[in-house]
Amino acid sequence: MVKLNRIYTKTGDTGTTGLGNGQRVAKDDARVTAYGTVDEANAALGLCVTIAAQAAPGSLAARLADMLRLVQHDLFDAGADLCCPIEKGEKAGEKLRVQPEQTKKIEDAIDCYNADLRPLNSFVLPGGSPLAASLHLARTILRRAERCVVTLHAQEPARTNPESIKYLNRLSDLLFVLSRVAN
C-alpha cells in the first residue's frame, strides 16, 4: 500500500518529475504526457461512476458503476505500467504491466453489452443522459490517452508495453457501447 505523508516535495519545481524507476524527466516528456492523460481519463471515469452510482441498487446503472470501478483499478495499473519504462532484462511479473487478459475482459464486456443494441446506421452525437454524456467525455479522453501512448511507443518501442495501446483502444470502445446502453 502506498503511504503519502507529504503531498508536496518541491522536486518538480524546476519542471521535472520522477518516473517509477526513479529517473527524472521533463514534465512534458512523452511518457509523462501518456500516463498523465490516462490519469485524466480515470478521473473522468470517476465522474461516470459517481453519476451511475446514484441509481437504485441492482439497476443497470448501478451495475455499470460497479464494473467501471473495476475498470478504474485496471486503468490505474495502465498508468503505473506507463510510469515505469520497460528495462532491459526485466523479468515477466517483475513490474506491473497491462496484460492481454485485461484487454480480453474489456472485449467480453463489449460483446455482452453490445449484443442487445440495435446496429448503428449513423454517427452518434455525444450527449443524452448525464451518464451517457459523461461516458462520452471519458471515451474521448481515453482516445487522446491512446494517441499519447502511440506517440510514446513510437519513440521508445522497447521501453513501452504495446498491450497498453490495445487496452486503451478497447476501453474507449467499451465506453462508446456503454454510452449507447445508458441512453
Side-chain angles (χ1 to χ4, degrees):
M1 173 160 231
V2 174
K3 183 178 180 183
L4 299 173
N5 290 326
R6 284 184 45 189
I7 300 303
Y8 65 91
T9 63
K10 301 183 182 181
T11 58
D13 291 353
T14 60
T16 65
T17 192
L19 297 179
N21 64 359
Q23 177 186 356
R24 303 268 330 153
V25 297
K27 288 187 177 188
D28 62 354
D29 182 87
R31 184 168 298 280
V32 177
T33 299
Y35 71 73
T37 309
V38 167
D39 185 39
E40 183 183 351
N42 208 340
L45 273 179
L47 176 62
C48 300
V49 169
T50 300
I51 293 168
Q54 293 174 7
S59 67
L60 174 62
R63 291 193 314 271
L64 291 180
D66 291 340
M67 181 190 61
L68 291 173
R69 281 187 195 98
L70 296 174
V71 168
Q72 281 190 287
H73 288 282
D74 283 349
L75 199 53
F76 198 80
D77 292 351
D81 181 340
L82 293 164
C83 182
C84 294
I86 296 171
E87 303 291 341
K88 196 170 195 163
E90 181 178 301
K91 295 175 181 62
E94 189 176 345
K95 301 274 189 198
L96 189 57
R97 301 284 175 217
V98 175
Q99 299 297 314
E101 298 80 31
Q102 290 169 293
T103 305
K104 175 73 169 97
K105 186 170 57 173
I106 296 296
E107 290 172 348
D108 291 345
I110 291 169
D111 293 342
C112 174
Y113 285 101
N114 197 50
D116 294 330
L117 294 174
R118 285 192 235 158
L120 285 175
N121 55 13
S122 68
F123 288 103
V124 174
L125 289 175
S129 70
L131 177 56
S134 67
L135 286 162
H136 277 296
L137 178 62
R139 172 187 59 80
T140 61
I141 296 169
L142 271 165
R143 287 288 188 207
R144 180 162 34 92
E146 179 188 1
R147 292 189 301 272
C148 292
V149 176
V150 166
T151 297
L152 173 63
H153 188 263
Q155 292 176 7
E156 300 183 29
R159 293 171 46 103
T160 306
N161 180 4
E163 191 65 33
S164 60
I165 298 169
K166 295 175 189 176
Y167 178 80
L168 295 174
N169 185 12
R170 292 310 181 288
L171 183 52
S172 61
D173 290 340
L174 174 61
L175 296 185
F176 176 75
V177 168
L178 294 182
S179 70
R180 294 186 63 211
V181 168
N183 278 334

